[in-house]
Amino acid sequence: MGATTTLDRVVIRFAGDSGDGMQLVGDRFTELSAAFGNDLATLPNYPAEIRAPAGTLNGVSSFQVHISDHDIVTPGDGPNVLVAMNPAALMANVADLNPGSTIIVNSDAFSERDLEKAHCTTNPLEDGSLDAFTVYQVPMTSITVEATKPLGVKTRDAERSKNFFALGLICWMYTRPVAPVLEWVEKRFANKELVREANLAALKAGRNFGETAELFSPYEVKPASLPSGTYRNVIGNTATALGLVAAAHKAGLPLLYASYPITPASDILHELSKLKHFNVTTMQAEDEIAAAAIAIGGAFAGSLAITGTSGPGLDLKSEAIGLALSLELPLVIVDVQRGGPSTGLPTKTEQADLLLAMYGRHGESPLPIVAARSPSNCFDAAFEACRIALKYRTPVILLTDGYLANGAEPWLLPDPEALADIAVPFATELNHTRPDGSQEYWPYLRDPETLARPWAVPGTPGLQHRIGGIEKQDGSGNISYQPANHEKMVRLRQEKVDRIANDTERVWTDCEGSSTTLVLGWGSTWAAITAGVRRIRIRGLEVHQAHLTHLNPFPADLGELLKQYEHVLIPEMNLGQLSKLIRAEYLVDAISFTQVNGLPFKAADMEQRIMEVLNS
Amino acid sequence: MSTAATPVELTRKDFESDQEVRWCPGCGDYGILASIQFLLPELGVEPHNTVFISGIGCAARLPYYMNTYGMHGIHGRAPALATGVAMARPDLSVWVIGGDGDMLSIGGNHLIHALRRNVNLNILMFNNQIYGLTKGQYSPTSEVGKVTKSTPFGSVDHPFNPISVAIGAEASFVARTHDMDRKHMMETFRRAHAHQGSSFVEVFQNCNVFNDGAYDPILKRDVRADMLIPLTHGEPIRFGADGQHGVAINEFGEPYVCETTEVGVANLLIHDEHRPDPTLAFALSRLASSPHMPTPIGVFRDVERPAYDAEVRAQVSHSIERSGAGDLNSLIHSGLVWTVD
């Protein structure tokens, strides 16, 4: 065994068949590294099909994890180490590797048939095409079978444990203790003795192989010096769910989450379904429309009501969201954006629902939009969306995306005590005096500051009232078709949303030194933009960064900020949707930088584009 | 959650809102509204604990005329909107009002799922076999051949039988009444209210503007006795002024209309609302395929099944009992946690 080499960071990608358990071992390695104290970011990447034909390029599933001894934000551009369980996994991923990178292949999976399925005419392990890389051929399947034989495991079943062999090997390579994984396996497979024992044996075999084969020297990535505090590893969908629970708690309301299964949003439903003891009610509705309508019913009845979905579901919910907007009831719609249009790329990421969120309803139908920028930030964004919905009695769209939903990072845990109290009182009193001096309840008598209408929930004596999607008289809420009243109501609904800008934080900025150029982003591009900006600064150049959490209304100080720059570069995973809004709102000649390949931007591409702008 | 106010005798007035009723003069909806407003004071539920939810259509305007909590929603979605209300609140009496287009066409999906879940809702579907609010297109309950603005050569759509749909959707309470008989409506709505879970009531309703007289062949005073088959639990199914007609079971187990004298009273089918198996109730709903044949009226089916919303709430309260009320701090700190100094 050679001496341990210390690295400041490493990017590892586990790649195999959809059925090979690559997401599982990626998750385990991430947890281990998180607990070890590394900073990290992950990028799961898998096909929409649950099991595409084994061994084919369509069936390749991968999990990339970037670990470091310092603060990082992206899952890394290309991997330093690729673990490829078969030729398809190798061929689908090799283009992302820089020369000099390491490839560890399962050499048992390179039979002629395997090669054929991956459309390889020659064997890449022999044809010289991998000469630029350091390739280790490890017979993972046969060692795993050998190691599990004494347990009486059938060969076919034994082969399925080879992902744990790979994990054991990588743990050894990067000097991670395997004990926590052993514990996890014990628990997870507590009721499946053979599977449990086979996985444990494979894991140990992988580690022992690293130790004894003398193929490689181990590396070490030391813990990162992150800001002090308590951390856990979290993926975006979990953080979103927890943010919603925290909001309900701080609002003193029961949480109702109604949703229809859809990738990549379903995990929010799964997560919340486990939390009934937090007074959380979850509802798997018959369709997306029903999920939105059920949430509206819940809001009318006094719950903090949420409906979650992804793009196609947001299309379907449009009419119901318009109703919530007209009823002026609090509602949060979570849209975990994925590649579109139509079914598009269900498991891939994109930011192309911004204009849908903004304008995707008939009539003048403005609503606030909040976007999360990192997996852990989903917690804060979800909380903020709920705060606005409750305070202003309006539907709010919360935008996350597939990358945030499944991507992991260490989360500096908030102190629940320090979270804002977002409780709003229900109306309990009559609020309007008739000409004859008697009192009545007006459901649309607005708060003069927020323009929010009172929220009187059914069951409150004396406050019976009717609301509906038909235009109503401002104040009394009675049906009104009067031209002047409609004009007033349309403008009031817009004004209510506009005024939220007085009540939100300033634009998030990182403006070291002075620069002519601002990179403005929203949502999950925060990671790549931040990494790109850091690279520019390492070059000794200056560039400023700003990032939006509030997409509607924009923060009050955004216009002033934009004016200070000669160049405003807006990177987005769409064809320039924020860029259009910024141009329209502020007459700024923004430069749009777009990518829509279903994957996050790479830091190197970001760096290059910023350099071009700086040099222009 | 009814309040401590001194119980006062409620009257119809207590359930009337201050809004002018705007249906066409002569519309059957007036009679249905009146029946509801007459009935509610008798049910012992106060106006503030009552909620009326509707979709879109003529019938769907009804909540505006009730001095209760109300929501006039979007087309077809009333059962879903109401499901949210019922899930959130066990203390409310929730009513869903809609027409045949609203509930069986655009909202068919929500209706069948509310029924199969057995959400605690009283669903009243006013069936006038036409789209009224959009001025006279054929509906999913219109007869084949219906000539309307959208079907000048006659509709070729096969209609739904709403009672069959409801029974097929696993509804636990299914009944039919009509807008010409206040007493029967009130009694049917009372039963619907008493039932735990989803109650589905089809109300034959006349649209005197776009489909006038659609039910005349069975509802005109002089034909009713011979054309309506009253269903009474535990009684032989008979009709006609002298009970001369009846319903018996043929050799295939199917109900058919017969002459009482021919089969004998003892051989008439005894109506059983509580039969766990819905097959016979379904078969009764098939006795008439249009309002030109003797048509059963009353409660087809009334069986007990746990209400969805109650079960959902029970899971929440059991979780709280079992695990204690959730602690936010420990939730946030769950899983593998580490500290950086």
PDB file of all heavy atoms in Angstrom, chain A residues 34 229-232 277 286-287 301 458-460 465-468, chain B residues 48 63 68-70 72 89 109-110 117 326 329 332 337-338 340:
ATOM      1  N   ALA A  34     -20.266  13.441   3.978  1.00  0.00           N
ATOM      2  CA  ALA A  34     -20.875  14.528   4.737  1.00  0.00           C
ATOM      3  C   ALA A  34     -20.525  14.380   6.207  1.00  0.00           C
ATOM      4  O   ALA A  34     -20.077  15.323   6.862  1.00  0.00           O
ATOM      5  CB  ALA A  34     -22.384  14.514   4.544  1.00  0.00           C
ATOM      6  N   GLY A 229     -21.289  25.391  13.190  1.00  0.00           N
ATOM      7  CA  GLY A 229     -22.708  25.092  13.364  1.00  0.00           C
ATOM      8  C   GLY A 229     -22.949  23.607  13.199  1.00  0.00           C
ATOM      9  O   GLY A 229     -22.015  22.831  12.997  1.00  0.00           O
ATOM     10  N   THR A 230     -24.211  23.241  13.280  1.00  0.00           N
ATOM     11  CA  THR A 230     -24.577  21.840  13.118  1.00  0.00           C
ATOM     12  C   THR A 230     -25.059  21.628  11.689  1.00  0.00           C
ATOM     13  O   THR A 230     -25.809  22.449  11.156  1.00  0.00           O
ATOM     14  CB  THR A 230     -25.689  21.469  14.109  1.00  0.00           C
ATOM     15  OG1 THR A 230     -25.243  21.814  15.407  1.00  0.00           O
ATOM     16  CG2 THR A 230     -25.996  19.984  14.062  1.00  0.00           C
ATOM     17  N   TYR A 231     -24.614  20.512  11.089  1.00  0.00           N
ATOM     18  CA  TYR A 231     -24.925  20.242   9.696  1.00  0.00           C
ATOM     19  C   TYR A 231     -25.597  18.885   9.539  1.00  0.00           C
ATOM     20  O   TYR A 231     -25.412  17.994  10.343  1.00  0.00           O
ATOM     21  CB  TYR A 231     -23.645  20.200   8.850  1.00  0.00           C
ATOM     22  CG  TYR A 231     -23.015  21.540   8.604  1.00  0.00           C
ATOM     23  CD1 TYR A 231     -22.215  22.141   9.579  1.00  0.00           C
ATOM     24  CD2 TYR A 231     -23.192  22.189   7.390  1.00  0.00           C
ATOM     25  CE1 TYR A 231     -21.620  23.369   9.347  1.00  0.00           C
ATOM     26  CE2 TYR A 231     -22.595  23.413   7.148  1.00  0.00           C
ATOM     27  CZ  TYR A 231     -21.810  24.008   8.126  1.00  0.00           C
ATOM     28  OH  TYR A 231     -21.229  25.204   7.883  1.00  0.00           O
ATOM     29  N   ARG A 232     -26.333  18.753   8.450  1.00  0.00           N
ATOM     30  CA  ARG A 232     -26.702  17.442   7.964  1.00  0.00           C
ATOM     31  C   ARG A 232     -26.670  17.521   6.439  1.00  0.00           C
ATOM     32  O   ARG A 232     -26.674  18.619   5.870  1.00  0.00           O
ATOM     33  CB  ARG A 232     -28.086  17.014   8.442  1.00  0.00           C
ATOM     34  CG  ARG A 232     -29.209  17.818   7.822  1.00  0.00           C
ATOM     35  CD  ARG A 232     -30.561  17.398   8.346  1.00  0.00           C
ATOM     36  NE  ARG A 232     -31.137  16.364   7.500  1.00  0.00           N
ATOM     37  CZ  ARG A 232     -32.435  16.045   7.538  1.00  0.00           C
ATOM     38  NH1 ARG A 232     -33.240  16.655   8.398  1.00  0.00           N
ATOM     39  NH2 ARG A 232     -32.920  15.130   6.741  1.00  0.00           N
ATOM     40  N   HIS A 277     -47.439  13.263  12.380  1.00  0.00           N
ATOM     41  CA  HIS A 277     -47.460  13.735  13.774  1.00  0.00           C
ATOM     42  C   HIS A 277     -47.110  15.219  13.885  1.00  0.00           C
ATOM     43  O   HIS A 277     -47.166  15.792  14.968  1.00  0.00           O
ATOM     44  CB  HIS A 277     -46.553  12.878  14.652  1.00  0.00           C
ATOM     45  CG  HIS A 277     -45.128  12.815  14.209  1.00  0.00           C
ATOM     46  ND1 HIS A 277     -44.755  12.305  12.986  1.00  0.00           N
ATOM     47  CD2 HIS A 277     -43.997  13.207  14.819  1.00  0.00           C
ATOM     48  CE1 HIS A 277     -43.440  12.371  12.867  1.00  0.00           C
ATOM     49  NE2 HIS A 277     -42.964  12.925  13.966  1.00  0.00           N
ATOM     50  N   GLU A 286     -56.686  12.417  -7.424  1.00  0.00           N
ATOM     51  CA  GLU A 286     -56.933  11.650  -8.643  1.00  0.00           C
ATOM     52  C   GLU A 286     -56.239  12.265  -9.851  1.00  0.00           C
ATOM     53  O   GLU A 286     -56.015  11.596 -10.849  1.00  0.00           O
ATOM     54  CB  GLU A 286     -58.439  11.509  -8.913  1.00  0.00           C
ATOM     55  CG  GLU A 286     -59.203  12.818  -9.090  1.00  0.00           C
ATOM     56  CD  GLU A 286     -59.771  13.333  -7.788  1.00  0.00           C
ATOM     57  OE1 GLU A 286     -59.201  13.017  -6.726  1.00  0.00           O
ATOM     58  OE2 GLU A 286     -60.786  14.065  -7.826  1.00  0.00           O
ATOM     59  N   ASP A 287     -55.917  13.545  -9.781  1.00  0.00           N
ATOM     60  CA  ASP A 287     -55.183  14.175 -10.866  1.00  0.00           C
ATOM     61  C   ASP A 287     -54.617  15.506 -10.374  1.00  0.00           C
ATOM     62  O   ASP A 287     -54.863  15.910  -9.242  1.00  0.00           O
ATOM     63  CB  ASP A 287     -56.041  14.333 -12.140  1.00  0.00           C
ATOM     64  CG  ASP A 287     -57.295  15.174 -11.929  1.00  0.00           C
ATOM     65  OD1 ASP A 287     -57.240  16.128 -11.145  1.00  0.00           O
ATOM     66  OD2 ASP A 287     -58.330  14.867 -12.550  1.00  0.00           O
ATOM     67  N   ALA A 301     -60.754  26.372   4.276  1.00  0.00           N
ATOM     68  CA  ALA A 301     -61.158  25.851   5.581  1.00  0.00           C
ATOM     69  C   ALA A 301     -60.110  26.118   6.667  1.00  0.00           C
ATOM     70  O   ALA A 301     -60.264  25.660   7.786  1.00  0.00           O
ATOM     71  CB  ALA A 301     -61.435  24.358   5.470  1.00  0.00           C
ATOM     72  N   PRO A 458     -64.773  28.912   7.555  1.00  0.00           N
ATOM     73  CA  PRO A 458     -66.071  28.333   7.892  1.00  0.00           C
ATOM     74  C   PRO A 458     -66.074  27.843   9.339  1.00  0.00           C
ATOM     75  O   PRO A 458     -65.051  27.341   9.830  1.00  0.00           O
ATOM     76  CB  PRO A 458     -66.189  27.157   6.914  1.00  0.00           C
ATOM     77  CG  PRO A 458     -65.351  27.553   5.742  1.00  0.00           C
ATOM     78  CD  PRO A 458     -64.213  28.343   6.322  1.00  0.00           C
ATOM     79  N   GLY A 459     -67.193  28.007   9.982  1.00  0.00           N
ATOM     80  CA  GLY A 459     -67.278  27.645  11.394  1.00  0.00           C
ATOM     81  C   GLY A 459     -67.249  28.882  12.284  1.00  0.00           C
ATOM     82  O   GLY A 459     -67.571  28.807  13.462  1.00  0.00           O
ATOM     83  N   THR A 460     -66.844  30.016  11.711  1.00  0.00           N
ATOM     84  CA  THR A 460     -66.814  31.248  12.489  1.00  0.00           C
ATOM     85  C   THR A 460     -68.218  31.845  12.514  1.00  0.00           C
ATOM     86  O   THR A 460     -68.757  32.207  11.465  1.00  0.00           O
ATOM     87  CB  THR A 460     -65.841  32.271  11.853  1.00  0.00           C
ATOM     88  OG1 THR A 460     -64.619  31.600  11.542  1.00  0.00           O
ATOM     89  CG2 THR A 460     -65.578  33.425  12.797  1.00  0.00           C
ATOM     90  N   HIS A 465     -70.050  33.871   4.392  1.00  0.00           N
ATOM     91  CA  HIS A 465     -69.906  34.662   3.170  1.00  0.00           C
ATOM     92  C   HIS A 465     -69.667  33.712   2.016  1.00  0.00           C
ATOM     93  O   HIS A 465     -69.328  32.545   2.214  1.00  0.00           O
ATOM     94  CB  HIS A 465     -68.742  35.648   3.294  1.00  0.00           C
ATOM     95  CG  HIS A 465     -67.415  34.979   3.487  1.00  0.00           C
ATOM     96  ND1 HIS A 465     -66.982  34.503   4.710  1.00  0.00           N
ATOM     97  CD2 HIS A 465     -66.422  34.674   2.607  1.00  0.00           C
ATOM     98  CE1 HIS A 465     -65.786  33.948   4.563  1.00  0.00           C
ATOM     99  NE2 HIS A 465     -65.418  34.025   3.302  1.00  0.00           N
ATOM    100  N   ARG A 466     -69.835  34.229   0.821  1.00  0.00           N
ATOM    101  CA  ARG A 466     -69.643  33.439  -0.393  1.00  0.00           C
ATOM    102  C   ARG A 466     -68.533  34.062  -1.213  1.00  0.00           C
ATOM    103  O   ARG A 466     -68.498  35.301  -1.372  1.00  0.00           O
ATOM    104  CB  ARG A 466     -70.925  33.424  -1.240  1.00  0.00           C
ATOM    105  CG  ARG A 466     -71.967  32.412  -0.825  1.00  0.00           C
ATOM    106  CD  ARG A 466     -72.585  32.624   0.551  1.00  0.00           C
ATOM    107  NE  ARG A 466     -73.167  33.948   0.743  1.00  0.00           N
ATOM    108  CZ  ARG A 466     -73.505  34.441   1.926  1.00  0.00           C
ATOM    109  NH1 ARG A 466     -73.337  33.747   3.044  1.00  0.00           N
ATOM    110  NH2 ARG A 466     -74.009  35.659   2.024  1.00  0.00           N
ATOM    111  N   ILE A 467     -67.619  33.214  -1.676  1.00  0.00           N
ATOM    112  CA  ILE A 467     -66.583  33.715  -2.574  1.00  0.00           C
ATOM    113  C   ILE A 467     -66.629  32.877  -3.837  1.00  0.00           C
ATOM    114  O   ILE A 467     -67.166  31.763  -3.838  1.00  0.00           O
ATOM    115  CB  ILE A 467     -65.182  33.653  -1.927  1.00  0.00           C
ATOM    116  CG1 ILE A 467     -64.888  32.238  -1.415  1.00  0.00           C
ATOM    117  CG2 ILE A 467     -65.056  34.670  -0.810  1.00  0.00           C
ATOM    118  CD1 ILE A 467     -63.499  32.074  -0.829  1.00  0.00           C
ATOM    119  N   GLY A 468     -66.063  33.429  -4.893  1.00  0.00           N
ATOM    120  CA  GLY A 468     -66.110  32.673  -6.139  1.00  0.00           C
ATOM    121  C   GLY A 468     -65.190  33.254  -7.186  1.00  0.00           C
ATOM    122  O   GLY A 468     -64.544  34.287  -6.977  1.00  0.00           O
TER     123      GLY A 468
ATOM    124  N   HIS B  48     -73.307  28.830  10.112  1.00  0.00           N
ATOM    125  CA  HIS B  48     -71.854  29.058  10.048  1.00  0.00           C
ATOM    126  C   HIS B  48     -71.073  27.741  10.034  1.00  0.00           C
ATOM    127  O   HIS B  48     -69.866  27.759   9.809  1.00  0.00           O
ATOM    128  CB  HIS B  48     -71.378  29.971  11.179  1.00  0.00           C
ATOM    129  CG  HIS B  48     -71.521  29.390  12.559  1.00  0.00           C
ATOM    130  ND1 HIS B  48     -72.578  29.680  13.384  1.00  0.00           N
ATOM    131  CD2 HIS B  48     -70.732  28.552  13.244  1.00  0.00           C
ATOM    132  CE1 HIS B  48     -72.434  29.046  14.523  1.00  0.00           C
ATOM    133  NE2 HIS B  48     -71.323  28.337  14.468  1.00  0.00           N
ATOM    134  N   PRO B  63     -74.853  28.403  -4.175  1.00  0.00           N
ATOM    135  CA  PRO B  63     -74.218  28.859  -2.930  1.00  0.00           C
ATOM    136  C   PRO B  63     -74.386  30.346  -2.646  1.00  0.00           C
ATOM    137  O   PRO B  63     -74.474  30.756  -1.483  1.00  0.00           O
ATOM    138  CB  PRO B  63     -72.741  28.523  -3.148  1.00  0.00           C
ATOM    139  CG  PRO B  63     -72.765  27.339  -4.056  1.00  0.00           C
ATOM    140  CD  PRO B  63     -73.927  27.607  -4.993  1.00  0.00           C
ATOM    141  N   THR B  68     -74.739  30.749   4.203  1.00  0.00           N
ATOM    142  CA  THR B  68     -73.794  29.828   4.839  1.00  0.00           C
ATOM    143  C   THR B  68     -72.433  30.233   4.290  1.00  0.00           C
ATOM    144  O   THR B  68     -72.323  31.191   3.542  1.00  0.00           O
ATOM    145  CB  THR B  68     -74.087  28.380   4.417  1.00  0.00           C
ATOM    146  OG1 THR B  68     -73.919  28.276   2.997  1.00  0.00           O
ATOM    147  CG2 THR B  68     -75.497  27.957   4.799  1.00  0.00           C
ATOM    148  N   TYR B  69     -71.392  29.492   4.628  1.00  0.00           N
ATOM    149  CA  TYR B  69     -70.132  29.677   3.917  1.00  0.00           C
ATOM    150  C   TYR B  69     -70.308  29.045   2.540  1.00  0.00           C
ATOM    151  O   TYR B  69     -71.003  28.019   2.411  1.00  0.00           O
ATOM    152  CB  TYR B  69     -68.975  29.046   4.683  1.00  0.00           C
ATOM    153  CG  TYR B  69     -68.573  29.900   5.873  1.00  0.00           C
ATOM    154  CD1 TYR B  69     -69.172  29.722   7.116  1.00  0.00           C
ATOM    155  CD2 TYR B  69     -67.636  30.916   5.733  1.00  0.00           C
ATOM    156  CE1 TYR B  69     -68.844  30.530   8.193  1.00  0.00           C
ATOM    157  CE2 TYR B  69     -67.295  31.735   6.805  1.00  0.00           C
ATOM    158  CZ  TYR B  69     -67.898  31.536   8.029  1.00  0.00           C
ATOM    159  OH  TYR B  69     -67.568  32.345   9.088  1.00  0.00           O
ATOM    160  N   GLY B  70     -69.689  29.659   1.545  1.00  0.00           N
ATOM    161  CA  GLY B  70     -69.890  29.131   0.206  1.00  0.00           C
ATOM    162  C   GLY B  70     -68.749  29.446  -0.731  1.00  0.00           C
ATOM    163  O   GLY B  70     -68.036  30.437  -0.558  1.00  0.00           O
ATOM    164  N   HIS B  72     -68.077  29.376  -4.975  1.00  0.00           N
ATOM    165  CA  HIS B  72     -68.458  29.141  -6.365  1.00  0.00           C
ATOM    166  C   HIS B  72     -67.140  28.935  -7.111  1.00  0.00           C
ATOM    167  O   HIS B  72     -66.390  29.879  -7.331  1.00  0.00           O
ATOM    168  CB  HIS B  72     -69.217  30.379  -6.869  1.00  0.00           C
ATOM    169  CG  HIS B  72     -69.650  30.285  -8.292  1.00  0.00           C
ATOM    170  ND1 HIS B  72     -69.487  31.326  -9.168  1.00  0.00           N
ATOM    171  CD2 HIS B  72     -70.239  29.292  -8.990  1.00  0.00           C
ATOM    172  CE1 HIS B  72     -69.981  30.978 -10.362  1.00  0.00           C
ATOM    173  NE2 HIS B  72     -70.438  29.753 -10.273  1.00  0.00           N
ATOM    174  N   ARG B  89     -61.708  19.803   7.927  1.00  0.00           N
ATOM    175  CA  ARG B  89     -62.613  20.153   9.020  1.00  0.00           C
ATOM    176  C   ARG B  89     -63.711  19.128   9.224  1.00  0.00           C
ATOM    177  O   ARG B  89     -64.624  19.005   8.420  1.00  0.00           O
ATOM    178  CB  ARG B  89     -63.225  21.523   8.706  1.00  0.00           C
ATOM    179  CG  ARG B  89     -62.182  22.650   8.627  1.00  0.00           C
ATOM    180  CD  ARG B  89     -61.735  23.080   9.991  1.00  0.00           C
ATOM    181  NE  ARG B  89     -62.883  23.643  10.662  1.00  0.00           N
ATOM    182  CZ  ARG B  89     -63.282  24.904  10.474  1.00  0.00           C
ATOM    183  NH1 ARG B  89     -62.606  25.700   9.702  1.00  0.00           N
ATOM    184  NH2 ARG B  89     -64.350  25.347  11.096  1.00  0.00           N
ATOM    185  N   ASN B 109     -64.374  12.986 -13.454  1.00  0.00           N
ATOM    186  CA  ASN B 109     -63.289  12.331 -12.718  1.00  0.00           C
ATOM    187  C   ASN B 109     -63.359  12.629 -11.218  1.00  0.00           C
ATOM    188  O   ASN B 109     -63.215  11.745 -10.391  1.00  0.00           O
ATOM    189  CB  ASN B 109     -61.942  12.780 -13.284  1.00  0.00           C
ATOM    190  CG  ASN B 109     -60.832  11.823 -12.928  1.00  0.00           C
ATOM    191  OD1 ASN B 109     -61.057  10.627 -12.831  1.00  0.00           O
ATOM    192  ND2 ASN B 109     -59.645  12.342 -12.712  1.00  0.00           N
ATOM    193  N   HIS B 110     -63.598  13.904 -10.897  1.00  0.00           N
ATOM    194  CA  HIS B 110     -63.618  14.270  -9.472  1.00  0.00           C
ATOM    195  C   HIS B 110     -64.822  13.642  -8.770  1.00  0.00           C
ATOM    196  O   HIS B 110     -64.739  13.228  -7.622  1.00  0.00           O
ATOM    197  CB  HIS B 110     -63.633  15.785  -9.315  1.00  0.00           C
ATOM    198  CG  HIS B 110     -62.548  16.445 -10.101  1.00  0.00           C
ATOM    199  ND1 HIS B 110     -61.221  16.111  -9.923  1.00  0.00           N
ATOM    200  CD2 HIS B 110     -62.578  17.353 -11.089  1.00  0.00           C
ATOM    201  CE1 HIS B 110     -60.489  16.820 -10.772  1.00  0.00           C
ATOM    202  NE2 HIS B 110     -61.280  17.581 -11.492  1.00  0.00           N
ATOM    203  N   ARG B 117     -63.898   7.310  -2.706  1.00  0.00           N
ATOM    204  CA  ARG B 117     -63.205   7.560  -1.432  1.00  0.00           C
ATOM    205  C   ARG B 117     -64.198   7.622  -0.279  1.00  0.00           C
ATOM    206  O   ARG B 117     -63.842   7.434   0.856  1.00  0.00           O
ATOM    207  CB  ARG B 117     -62.450   8.883  -1.483  1.00  0.00           C
ATOM    208  CG  ARG B 117     -61.237   8.872  -2.366  1.00  0.00           C
ATOM    209  CD  ARG B 117     -60.398  10.141  -2.151  1.00  0.00           C
ATOM    210  NE  ARG B 117     -59.321  10.179  -3.111  1.00  0.00           N
ATOM    211  CZ  ARG B 117     -59.262  10.993  -4.154  1.00  0.00           C
ATOM    212  NH1 ARG B 117     -60.210  11.893  -4.347  1.00  0.00           N
ATOM    213  NH2 ARG B 117     -58.255  10.928  -4.985  1.00  0.00           N
ATOM    214  N   GLY B 326     -45.047  16.449  16.845  1.00  0.00           N
ATOM    215  CA  GLY B 326     -43.718  16.565  16.255  1.00  0.00           C
ATOM    216  C   GLY B 326     -42.931  17.753  16.782  1.00  0.00           C
ATOM    217  O   GLY B 326     -43.487  18.825  16.984  1.00  0.00           O
ATOM    218  N   ASN B 329     -37.414  21.065  15.917  1.00  0.00           N
ATOM    219  CA  ASN B 329     -35.953  21.045  16.050  1.00  0.00           C
ATOM    220  C   ASN B 329     -35.391  19.648  15.818  1.00  0.00           C
ATOM    221  O   ASN B 329     -34.405  19.478  15.093  1.00  0.00           O
ATOM    222  CB  ASN B 329     -35.558  21.571  17.434  1.00  0.00           C
ATOM    223  CG  ASN B 329     -34.095  21.923  17.479  1.00  0.00           C
ATOM    224  OD1 ASN B 329     -33.592  22.622  16.599  1.00  0.00           O
ATOM    225  ND2 ASN B 329     -33.391  21.399  18.476  1.00  0.00           N
ATOM    226  N   ILE B 332     -35.613  18.734  12.054  1.00  0.00           N
ATOM    227  CA  ILE B 332     -34.550  19.356  11.248  1.00  0.00           C
ATOM    228  C   ILE B 332     -33.216  18.652  11.517  1.00  0.00           C
ATOM    229  O   ILE B 332     -32.405  18.463  10.619  1.00  0.00           O
ATOM    230  CB  ILE B 332     -34.474  20.872  11.558  1.00  0.00           C
ATOM    231  CG1 ILE B 332     -35.701  21.577  10.975  1.00  0.00           C
ATOM    232  CG2 ILE B 332     -33.193  21.491  11.005  1.00  0.00           C
ATOM    233  CD1 ILE B 332     -35.843  23.025  11.356  1.00  0.00           C
ATOM    234  N   VAL B 337     -26.018  13.825  11.648  1.00  0.00           N
ATOM    235  CA  VAL B 337     -25.771  15.245  11.914  1.00  0.00           C
ATOM    236  C   VAL B 337     -24.354  15.413  12.441  1.00  0.00           C
ATOM    237  O   VAL B 337     -23.863  14.555  13.167  1.00  0.00           O
ATOM    238  CB  VAL B 337     -26.803  15.746  12.956  1.00  0.00           C
ATOM    239  CG1 VAL B 337     -26.419  17.092  13.520  1.00  0.00           C
ATOM    240  CG2 VAL B 337     -28.185  15.812  12.332  1.00  0.00           C
ATOM    241  N   TRP B 338     -23.663  16.464  12.050  1.00  0.00           N
ATOM    242  CA  TRP B 338     -22.326  16.707  12.586  1.00  0.00           C
ATOM    243  C   TRP B 338     -22.138  18.187  12.886  1.00  0.00           C
ATOM    244  O   TRP B 338     -22.878  19.021  12.381  1.00  0.00           O
ATOM    245  CB  TRP B 338     -21.245  16.192  11.640  1.00  0.00           C
ATOM    246  CG  TRP B 338     -21.120  16.970  10.358  1.00  0.00           C
ATOM    247  CD1 TRP B 338     -20.245  17.974  10.098  1.00  0.00           C
ATOM    248  CD2 TRP B 338     -21.889  16.800   9.162  1.00  0.00           C
ATOM    249  NE1 TRP B 338     -20.411  18.444   8.817  1.00  0.00           N
ATOM    250  CE2 TRP B 338     -21.410  17.741   8.226  1.00  0.00           C
ATOM    251  CE3 TRP B 338     -22.934  15.948   8.804  1.00  0.00           C
ATOM    252  CZ2 TRP B 338     -21.936  17.857   6.941  1.00  0.00           C
ATOM    253  CZ3 TRP B 338     -23.466  16.069   7.515  1.00  0.00           C
ATOM    254  CH2 TRP B 338     -22.969  17.003   6.602  1.00  0.00           C
ATOM    255  N   VAL B 340     -19.560  21.526  13.213  1.00  0.00           N
ATOM    256  CA  VAL B 340     -18.294  22.185  12.862  1.00  0.00           C
ATOM    257  C   VAL B 340     -18.077  23.289  13.883  1.00  0.00           C
ATOM    258  O   VAL B 340     -18.972  24.105  14.107  1.00  0.00           O
ATOM    259  CB  VAL B 340     -18.364  22.778  11.434  1.00  0.00           C
ATOM    260  CG1 VAL B 340     -17.111  23.583  11.133  1.00  0.00           C
ATOM    261  CG2 VAL B 340     -18.571  21.671  10.412  1.00  0.00           C
TER     262      VAL B 340
END
